[in-house]
Amino acid sequence: MPLRAFGLTAKTVETLGPGYHADGGKLYLQVSPSGSRSWIFRYQRHARRRDMGLGPYPLVGLADARRLANECRELLFHGIDPLDQKHGQRATQKAAAAKAITFKECAEKYVAAHQAGWSERHARLWEQSLTAHAYPVLGDLTVASIDLPLVLKVLEAIWNTKTDTATRVRSRVESVLDWAATHGYRSGENPARWRGHLENLLPARNKVKPVEQHAALPYPEIGAFIAELRQRQAVGARGLEFCILTAARSGEVRGGQWDEIDLQNRTWTIPGSRMKAGREHRVPLSDRAVEILREMAEIRTSDFVFPGFAGPLDHKTFLRLLERMGRKLTIHGFRSTFRDWAAERTAYPSEIAEMALAHQVGSAVERAYRRSDLFEKRRRLMDDWGRFCASPAAAGEVVAIRSVS
């Protein structure tokens, strides 16, 4: 229908049929075939016609439509395109809405972005620490509003009593805020940064709580300890002995499943999802380690090599066993026992012992060029460790271990 130029009234706005109906001053009432009505400001800018919606009728009445059209004409008079300005305001509003993302939402997005490179345990610890300590203070606040007093409120509550935990929480909050800044959700200084910032406000970790070494058994005593351990018939005792013989972490052993074991090739392959560093780790099995696995296979009741009552062994099983034996030791300390033995009583290169412990060796560039995990050399190392552990007399002897080229 052709455009008609005449002034509108409240009555005609209600009764006009489909088409564009001019009110004057570039204002039109648009009536659709279905009968819905809306206001259009039609103008030309740089020889180009533009239609700008001013809202639907009756939500926007005739008087309001004329007022909005007048504002648009004033913008044109000052050289401003009203439609461009509207789009700019909308973009600003969207940006403001985007920056309204909460700290918890950012933390969840950060974890999702990095989780593929983490172990399940590491991801779980992230979630637990933030849920317990950061979210109660920061969780529902916009990430853009997080400042130094808020970060201090999180940390000061636990800094002197749970210093290790507080240190990890601070680092994780810093990472989330850095992620948010990179995505444009916040700007300015990271209030959780330690160096040159929080270190001026909080005592250093080692000043609050001296760093405690994991209680470890001196390696000359390992033979006697293993002999005592073998006198116990519980699954936990076999699991602890296997843990010592493989120099593995407690969780890796307790979560070990039969499909990870290759008895024929005397190899235990731990998937990356269960490793601290998130990388698959192959463990060569000594004679005694294989013997333990064969014993467990005879009484197999589940997919777990060392089963508990419902799933894997409880995480405190080994510690309770040590307490019953009257030993004030930690499970992690046996890894130190192994490392001390390898350094002081063998000629194996340091990197082989470190790789046996599933530690990263060398720089990122060196690791990129190293294609081998030195498995066969590590097999000889673990065989020697197994023999050393099996000899109670080792405490008083100096055992000559062959060098490894």
Side-chain angles (χ1 to χ4, degrees):
M1 178 179 291
L3 297 179
R4 294 176 294 176
F6 57 88
L8 300 173
T9 66
K11 183 177 181 179
T12 57
V13 168
E14 293 276 1
T15 59
L16 286 170
Y20 286 84
H21 308 282
D23 182 62
K26 301 181 176 61
L27 175 63
Y28 293 85
L29 174 69
Q30 179 187 22
V31 182
S32 71
S34 66
S36 64
R37 289 161 163 72
S38 60
W39 298 104
I40 302 295
F41 182 76
R42 175 169 286 180
Y43 63 100
Q44 282 197 337
R45 182 76 171 166
H46 303 305
R48 176 188 174 194
R49 195 188 81 180
R50 309 199 76 180
D51 286 357
M52 177 178 172
L54 300 181
Y57 178 86
L59 184 62
V60 178
L62 178 58
D64 287 335
R66 287 170 175 168
R67 176 180 55 80
L68 293 172
N70 187 58
E71 293 175 359
C72 291
R73 288 192 294 271
E74 288 182 2
L75 290 173
L76 285 171
F77 178 78
H78 290 95
I80 300 171
D81 188 316
L83 194 55
D84 286 349
Q85 175 164 291
K86 179 181 179 180
H87 290 163
Q89 290 174 341
R90 186 173 297 168
T92 300
Q93 291 170 352
K94 287 183 177 180
K99 288 189 176 182
I101 186 172
T102 66
F103 175 84
K104 184 177 181 181
E105 290 171 332
C106 279
E108 290 171 345
K109 290 178 181 292
Y110 177 91
V111 171
H114 293 81
Q115 199 165 7
W118 292 351
S119 66
E120 291 181 6
R121 178 177 180 274
H122 186 68
R124 185 174 66 254
L125 291 176
W126 253 79
E127 176 65 24
Q128 290 174 348
S129 65
L130 292 180
T131 298
H133 304 293
Y135 291 163
V137 177
L138 309 177
D140 295 332
L141 300 178
T142 61
V143 72
S145 69
I146 306 300
D147 57 12
L148 180 59
L150 286 169
V151 172
L152 285 174
K153 186 176 181 180
V154 171
L155 298 178
E156 288 177 338
I158 55 175
W159 194 261
N160 293 328
T161 56
K162 300 178 180 179
T163 310
D164 290 344
T165 298
T167 301
R168 287 190 287 270
V169 170
R170 183 211 62 78
S171 176
R172 289 164 184 170
V173 170
E174 181 183 19
S175 295
V176 171
L177 295 182
D178 277 345
W179 181 92
T182 302
H183 283 77
Y185 297 137
R186 61 174 288 118
S187 59
E189 182 74 51
N190 189 326
R193 180 170 56 85
W194 177 255
R195 190 175 298 278
H197 189 55
L198 284 179
E199 68 175 352
N200 299 320
L201 301 175
L202 295 170
R205 173 183 172 184
N206 60 356
K207 299 295 183 181
V208 176
K209 177 183 177 182
V211 177
E212 297 180 3
Q213 299 294 329
H214 292 288
L217 185 73
Y219 69 82
E221 300 177 22
I222 192 66
F225 176 83
I226 291 291
E228 180 184 355
L229 185 61
R230 288 186 184 179
Q231 299 304 310
R232 298 176 176 266
Q233 301 305 313
V235 171
R238 296 292 73 76
L240 178 56
E241 184 181 356
F242 186 81
C243 189
I244 295 170
L245 291 169
T246 56
R249 297 179 178 89
S250 171
E252 295 160 6
V253 172
R254 289 183 293 102
Q257 300 192 35
W258 284 110
D259 61 4
E260 300 170 3
I261 304 296
D262 183 350
L263 284 175
Q264 181 176 355
N265 293 304
R266 302 162 60 92
T267 303
W268 173 28
T269 303
I270 311 173
S273 61
R274 296 205 308 106
M275 292 298 298
K276 182 177 180 180
R279 300 187 310 277
E280 179 183 280
H281 179 56
R282 294 195 300 164
V283 181
L285 301 172
S286 63
D287 289 344
R288 175 55 185 165
V290 170
E291 184 180 334
I292 291 173
L293 292 175
R294 295 192 188 282
E295 289 179 18
M296 297 309 302
E298 292 179 359
I299 60 171
R300 176 174 175 176
T301 59
S302 77
D303 291 335
F304 292 100
V305 178
F306 301 101
F309 290 111
L313 286 174
D314 182 82
H315 70 286
K316 292 186 178 180
T317 298
F318 295 161
L319 286 175
R320 287 194 290 262
L321 174 59
L322 289 173
E323 290 174 359
R324 290 194 294 272
M325 295 175 69
R327 300 280 189 162
K328 294 183 178 180
L329 301 169
T330 65
I331 309 308
H332 197 88
F334 287 107
R335 286 163 57 86
S336 298
T337 301
F338 164 79
R339 188 65 185 87
D340 290 344
W341 166 82
E344 297 184 21
R345 297 290 293 270
T346 81
Y348 288 97
S350 173
E351 65 176 2
I352 295 178
E354 290 297 312
M355 293 178 78
L357 292 168
H359 288 166
Q360 289 190 349
V361 178
S363 67
V365 173
E366 290 172 330
R367 292 195 298 272
Y369 279 96
R370 185 190 299 114
R371 300 300 181 186
S372 170
D373 59 0
L374 305 181
F375 186 75
E376 291 307 319
K377 291 184 178 180
R378 288 195 289 115
R379 182 179 292 284
R380 294 196 289 274
L381 170 65
M382 302 315 290
D383 285 343
D384 287 336
W385 172 240
R387 283 190 287 271
F388 185 82
C389 290
S391 175
E397 300 177 1
V398 175
V399 181
I401 302 296
R402 63 182 179 277
S403 63
V404 178
S405 58

